[in-house]
Amino acid sequence: MNSYNLNHLKELEAESIYVLREVAAQFERPALLFSGGKDSLVVFHLARKAFFPAKCPFPLVHVDTGHNFPETIVFMDELAEKHGAKLIRRFVQDAIDQGRAVEEKGFNASRNKLQTVTLLDTIAEFKFDACIGGARRDEEKARAKERFFSHRDEFGQWDPKNQRPELWNIFNGKKNVGEHFRCFPISNWTELDVWQYIAMEKIELPNIYFTHQRLCFKRDNVLYAKSDFINMKPDEVIKEYQVRFRTIGDMTCTGAVESPASNPIDIIQEIAISRITERGATRADDKRSEAAMEDRKKEGYF
């Protein structure tokens, strides 16, 4: 890694640490939304650096759809135990059982959108006034509209036209009772930045980010892992592929990419020549409509 990249990553790291410290200073009950994916792992790593030698001051909050990759759940539990982090896990299935969320039907059914109900319930349960996430502006056009401190109203909804200016990195965390913020310390990072930082800091990741053999089937040019949670069409065929995952979410809407990349350096070389974002390539939930992500965010989605 050349000195330019090193300096660039150090600047991004410093900015993110500054944002995390501002969150800790301005809010009373912040939490870190934690999927176990690479971006949330980078944010957790940054939080540990920001407050060292103390432990990360934010509890880790995971909304479990019940359709997650098993490797991610195992990794997450081991990570929390290793670092003595408080892990709060709440389940979409509970909202379905209570009649507060309705399971989708059909071949493209997914629980991804249903996470909104469980997330807002969790925020209300613990009275979190700020939720830190690993979203980046380069991922998707709706996320490109986000501020570092993204205001949400008393219903957890996001209004892109009602966000506060952040000139000179001065953040305004003032809110009314019942409102909260979503905070995004790695907003200015790209996927390439994330992987270069992972390589530089030697951050451990779930093994499904790296090449492995997996039974998959192809639908709409996306490779889905064989799963009991996905209703397959009669003409869909399961085959073994050499794949890895660029992003990790619900198994029903997260696709794999064929790749021989077995370490961060290999992945950096792949990303450097790619012209498609990881969500654009592999997330079916973003392809439901032109404004799919923005519509979910307005309802309270991460």
Side-chain angles (χ1 to χ4, degrees), residues 92-105:
V92 169
Q93 185 64 53
D94 291 339
I96 294 172
D97 293 342
Q98 295 162 11
R100 304 191 67 251
V102 179
E103 188 95 68
E104 293 183 356
K105 306 296 183 183

Side-chain angles (χ1 to χ4, degrees), residues 73-87:
I73 298 299
V74 171
F75 182 90
M76 189 184 310
D77 291 337
E78 292 176 349
L79 182 85
E81 183 176 357
K82 176 180 177 180
H83 295 289
K86 181 180 180 181
L87 177 60

Side-chain angles (χ1 to χ4, degrees), residues 98-141:
Q98 295 162 11
R100 304 191 67 251
V102 179
E103 188 95 68
E104 293 183 356
K105 306 296 183 183
F107 292 115
N108 296 311
S110 172
R111 288 186 175 182
N112 193 56
K113 186 177 180 180
L114 305 188
Q115 294 178 85
T116 300
V117 175
T118 304
L119 174 58
L120 294 178
D121 286 349
T122 306
I123 291 171
E125 177 186 353
F126 291 93
K127 296 180 171 60
F128 293 132
D129 54 358
C131 291
I132 305 162
R136 310 184 322 267
R137 293 191 182 114
D138 77 318
E139 289 181 274
E140 201 275 339
K141 55 190 176 184

Side-chain angles (χ1 to χ4, degrees), residues 34 47 53 65 77 147 160-161 169 173 186 207 231 275:
F34 196 71
T65 66
D77 291 337
R147 303 288 197 266
K161 297 179 181 178
N169 278 359
I186 62 170
N207 56 20
N231 297 317
R275 293 297 176 265

